[in-house]
Amino acid sequence: MKSGSLNIIMWIIAFIGLGLTIIPSFLLFSGGIDSSACKTLMAVGMVVWFAARISVKNQ
């Protein structure tokens, strides 16, 4: 796999992680999920986003 395509994949993963950080708060306020699920999704999103962004920065 080329470095350019890996870079694109890592950016996509980073944006998915960022989405997992932002979207659960809207779902919580609209009543779609409970507080525990919101915290779990946001924690997973935070870890995914930071890991992917660190990987993109180092390439």
Side-chain angles (χ1 to χ4, degrees), residues 14 16-18 20-21 40-50:
I16 290 170
L18 188 60
L20 279 174
T21 305
T40 303
L41 287 172
M42 291 180 81
V44 169
M46 175 188 63
V47 170
V48 169
W49 184 74
F50 276 117

PDB file of all heavy atoms in Angstrom, residues 14 16-18 20-21 40-50:
ATOM      1  N   ALA A  14      -9.712   9.257  10.998  1.00  0.00           N
ATOM      2  CA  ALA A  14      -9.708  10.404  11.906  1.00  0.00           C
ATOM      3  C   ALA A  14     -11.061  11.119  11.887  1.00  0.00           C
ATOM      4  O   ALA A  14     -11.580  11.503  12.937  1.00  0.00           O
ATOM      5  CB  ALA A  14      -8.591  11.371  11.528  1.00  0.00           C
ATOM      6  N   ILE A  16     -13.951   9.787  11.106  1.00  0.00           N
ATOM      7  CA  ILE A  16     -14.931   8.910  11.766  1.00  0.00           C
ATOM      8  C   ILE A  16     -14.832   9.067  13.280  1.00  0.00           C
ATOM      9  O   ILE A  16     -15.850   9.164  13.978  1.00  0.00           O
ATOM     10  CB  ILE A  16     -14.721   7.445  11.334  1.00  0.00           C
ATOM     11  CG1 ILE A  16     -15.124   7.261   9.867  1.00  0.00           C
ATOM     12  CG2 ILE A  16     -15.491   6.490  12.234  1.00  0.00           C
ATOM     13  CD1 ILE A  16     -14.745   5.920   9.283  1.00  0.00           C
ATOM     14  N   GLY A  17     -13.602   9.104  13.797  1.00  0.00           N
ATOM     15  CA  GLY A  17     -13.408   9.323  15.231  1.00  0.00           C
ATOM     16  C   GLY A  17     -13.941  10.669  15.685  1.00  0.00           C
ATOM     17  O   GLY A  17     -14.541  10.792  16.748  1.00  0.00           O
ATOM     18  N   LEU A  18     -13.718  11.697  14.858  1.00  0.00           N
ATOM     19  CA  LEU A  18     -14.246  13.017  15.189  1.00  0.00           C
ATOM     20  C   LEU A  18     -15.768  13.016  15.192  1.00  0.00           C
ATOM     21  O   LEU A  18     -16.407  13.628  16.053  1.00  0.00           O
ATOM     22  CB  LEU A  18     -13.709  14.051  14.197  1.00  0.00           C
ATOM     23  CG  LEU A  18     -14.003  15.511  14.499  1.00  0.00           C
ATOM     24  CD1 LEU A  18     -13.413  15.913  15.834  1.00  0.00           C
ATOM     25  CD2 LEU A  18     -13.444  16.382  13.388  1.00  0.00           C
ATOM     26  N   LEU A  20     -17.596  10.423  15.909  1.00  0.00           N
ATOM     27  CA  LEU A  20     -17.996   9.724  17.126  1.00  0.00           C
ATOM     28  C   LEU A  20     -17.846  10.597  18.360  1.00  0.00           C
ATOM     29  O   LEU A  20     -18.417  10.306  19.411  1.00  0.00           O
ATOM     30  CB  LEU A  20     -17.165   8.450  17.307  1.00  0.00           C
ATOM     31  CG  LEU A  20     -17.596   7.244  16.506  1.00  0.00           C
ATOM     32  CD1 LEU A  20     -16.594   6.115  16.678  1.00  0.00           C
ATOM     33  CD2 LEU A  20     -18.973   6.791  16.929  1.00  0.00           C
ATOM     34  N   THR A  21     -17.080  11.654  18.247  1.00  0.00           N
ATOM     35  CA  THR A  21     -16.940  12.578  19.357  1.00  0.00           C
ATOM     36  C   THR A  21     -18.046  13.625  19.366  1.00  0.00           C
ATOM     37  O   THR A  21     -18.491  14.064  20.419  1.00  0.00           O
ATOM     38  CB  THR A  21     -15.561  13.270  19.284  1.00  0.00           C
ATOM     39  OG1 THR A  21     -14.560  12.257  19.237  1.00  0.00           O
ATOM     40  CG2 THR A  21     -15.314  14.147  20.484  1.00  0.00           C
ATOM     41  N   THR A  40     -19.557   6.588  26.391  1.00  0.00           N
ATOM     42  CA  THR A  40     -18.782   5.510  25.784  1.00  0.00           C
ATOM     43  C   THR A  40     -18.414   5.835  24.344  1.00  0.00           C
ATOM     44  O   THR A  40     -17.253   5.686  23.937  1.00  0.00           O
ATOM     45  CB  THR A  40     -19.571   4.193  25.842  1.00  0.00           C
ATOM     46  OG1 THR A  40     -19.898   3.892  27.195  1.00  0.00           O
ATOM     47  CG2 THR A  40     -18.774   3.054  25.239  1.00  0.00           C
ATOM     48  N   LEU A  41     -19.390   6.285  23.559  1.00  0.00           N
ATOM     49  CA  LEU A  41     -19.122   6.629  22.158  1.00  0.00           C
ATOM     50  C   LEU A  41     -18.134   7.782  22.042  1.00  0.00           C
ATOM     51  O   LEU A  41     -17.242   7.772  21.180  1.00  0.00           O
ATOM     52  CB  LEU A  41     -20.425   6.978  21.444  1.00  0.00           C
ATOM     53  CG  LEU A  41     -21.361   5.815  21.136  1.00  0.00           C
ATOM     54  CD1 LEU A  41     -22.688   6.325  20.602  1.00  0.00           C
ATOM     55  CD2 LEU A  41     -20.710   4.861  20.155  1.00  0.00           C
ATOM     56  N   MET A  42     -18.264   8.767  22.909  1.00  0.00           N
ATOM     57  CA  MET A  42     -17.349   9.905  22.858  1.00  0.00           C
ATOM     58  C   MET A  42     -15.932   9.502  23.267  1.00  0.00           C
ATOM     59  O   MET A  42     -14.956   9.994  22.687  1.00  0.00           O
ATOM     60  CB  MET A  42     -17.862  11.041  23.732  1.00  0.00           C
ATOM     61  CG  MET A  42     -19.112  11.687  23.171  1.00  0.00           C
ATOM     62  SD  MET A  42     -19.742  13.014  24.182  1.00  0.00           S
ATOM     63  CE  MET A  42     -18.677  14.334  23.649  1.00  0.00           C
ATOM     64  N   ALA A  43     -15.804   8.600  24.227  1.00  0.00           N
ATOM     65  CA  ALA A  43     -14.474   8.140  24.630  1.00  0.00           C
ATOM     66  C   ALA A  43     -13.815   7.337  23.511  1.00  0.00           C
ATOM     67  O   ALA A  43     -12.627   7.523  23.210  1.00  0.00           O
ATOM     68  CB  ALA A  43     -14.574   7.300  25.896  1.00  0.00           C
ATOM     69  N   VAL A  44     -14.577   6.459  22.873  1.00  0.00           N
ATOM     70  CA  VAL A  44     -14.037   5.685  21.749  1.00  0.00           C
ATOM     71  C   VAL A  44     -13.653   6.618  20.601  1.00  0.00           C
ATOM     72  O   VAL A  44     -12.580   6.485  19.999  1.00  0.00           O
ATOM     73  CB  VAL A  44     -15.059   4.626  21.277  1.00  0.00           C
ATOM     74  CG1 VAL A  44     -14.643   4.005  19.968  1.00  0.00           C
ATOM     75  CG2 VAL A  44     -15.242   3.560  22.335  1.00  0.00           C
ATOM     76  N   GLY A  45     -14.508   7.583  20.308  1.00  0.00           N
ATOM     77  CA  GLY A  45     -14.211   8.538  19.250  1.00  0.00           C
ATOM     78  C   GLY A  45     -12.968   9.356  19.540  1.00  0.00           C
ATOM     79  O   GLY A  45     -12.168   9.624  18.638  1.00  0.00           O
ATOM     80  N   MET A  46     -12.785   9.742  20.785  1.00  0.00           N
ATOM     81  CA  MET A  46     -11.610  10.526  21.163  1.00  0.00           C
ATOM     82  C   MET A  46     -10.333   9.728  20.945  1.00  0.00           C
ATOM     83  O   MET A  46      -9.367  10.235  20.362  1.00  0.00           O
ATOM     84  CB  MET A  46     -11.712  10.933  22.633  1.00  0.00           C
ATOM     85  CG  MET A  46     -10.499  11.656  23.165  1.00  0.00           C
ATOM     86  SD  MET A  46     -10.565  11.905  24.947  1.00  0.00           S
ATOM     87  CE  MET A  46     -10.553  10.233  25.553  1.00  0.00           C
ATOM     88  N   VAL A  47     -10.335   8.472  21.366  1.00  0.00           N
ATOM     89  CA  VAL A  47      -9.144   7.637  21.204  1.00  0.00           C
ATOM     90  C   VAL A  47      -8.851   7.392  19.726  1.00  0.00           C
ATOM     91  O   VAL A  47      -7.707   7.492  19.280  1.00  0.00           O
ATOM     92  CB  VAL A  47      -9.323   6.301  21.971  1.00  0.00           C
ATOM     93  CG1 VAL A  47      -8.230   5.321  21.622  1.00  0.00           C
ATOM     94  CG2 VAL A  47      -9.375   6.557  23.459  1.00  0.00           C
ATOM     95  N   VAL A  48      -9.888   7.091  18.946  1.00  0.00           N
ATOM     96  CA  VAL A  48      -9.701   6.848  17.510  1.00  0.00           C
ATOM     97  C   VAL A  48      -9.191   8.101  16.819  1.00  0.00           C
ATOM     98  O   VAL A  48      -8.262   8.044  16.007  1.00  0.00           O
ATOM     99  CB  VAL A  48     -11.021   6.362  16.869  1.00  0.00           C
ATOM    100  CG1 VAL A  48     -10.940   6.371  15.353  1.00  0.00           C
ATOM    101  CG2 VAL A  48     -11.367   4.976  17.373  1.00  0.00           C
ATOM    102  N   TRP A  49      -9.767   9.249  17.148  1.00  0.00           N
ATOM    103  CA  TRP A  49      -9.363  10.490  16.490  1.00  0.00           C
ATOM    104  C   TRP A  49      -7.916  10.846  16.818  1.00  0.00           C
ATOM    105  O   TRP A  49      -7.141  11.174  15.917  1.00  0.00           O
ATOM    106  CB  TRP A  49     -10.286  11.634  16.909  1.00  0.00           C
ATOM    107  CG  TRP A  49      -9.980  12.899  16.198  1.00  0.00           C
ATOM    108  CD1 TRP A  49     -10.252  13.191  14.902  1.00  0.00           C
ATOM    109  CD2 TRP A  49      -9.333  14.049  16.742  1.00  0.00           C
ATOM    110  NE1 TRP A  49      -9.816  14.461  14.610  1.00  0.00           N
ATOM    111  CE2 TRP A  49      -9.247  15.011  15.716  1.00  0.00           C
ATOM    112  CE3 TRP A  49      -8.825  14.364  17.990  1.00  0.00           C
ATOM    113  CZ2 TRP A  49      -8.667  16.243  15.916  1.00  0.00           C
ATOM    114  CZ3 TRP A  49      -8.255  15.601  18.177  1.00  0.00           C
ATOM    115  CH2 TRP A  49      -8.184  16.523  17.146  1.00  0.00           C
ATOM    116  N   PHE A  50      -7.553  10.775  18.085  1.00  0.00           N
ATOM    117  CA  PHE A  50      -6.175  11.114  18.457  1.00  0.00           C
ATOM    118  C   PHE A  50      -5.174  10.130  17.845  1.00  0.00           C
ATOM    119  O   PHE A  50      -4.118  10.537  17.364  1.00  0.00           O
ATOM    120  CB  PHE A  50      -6.001  11.160  19.972  1.00  0.00           C
ATOM    121  CG  PHE A  50      -6.390  12.470  20.573  1.00  0.00           C
ATOM    122  CD1 PHE A  50      -7.443  12.546  21.471  1.00  0.00           C
ATOM    123  CD2 PHE A  50      -5.711  13.622  20.256  1.00  0.00           C
ATOM    124  CE1 PHE A  50      -7.814  13.755  22.029  1.00  0.00           C
ATOM    125  CE2 PHE A  50      -6.071  14.841  20.810  1.00  0.00           C
ATOM    126  CZ  PHE A  50      -7.121  14.907  21.696  1.00  0.00           C
TER     127      PHE A  50
END
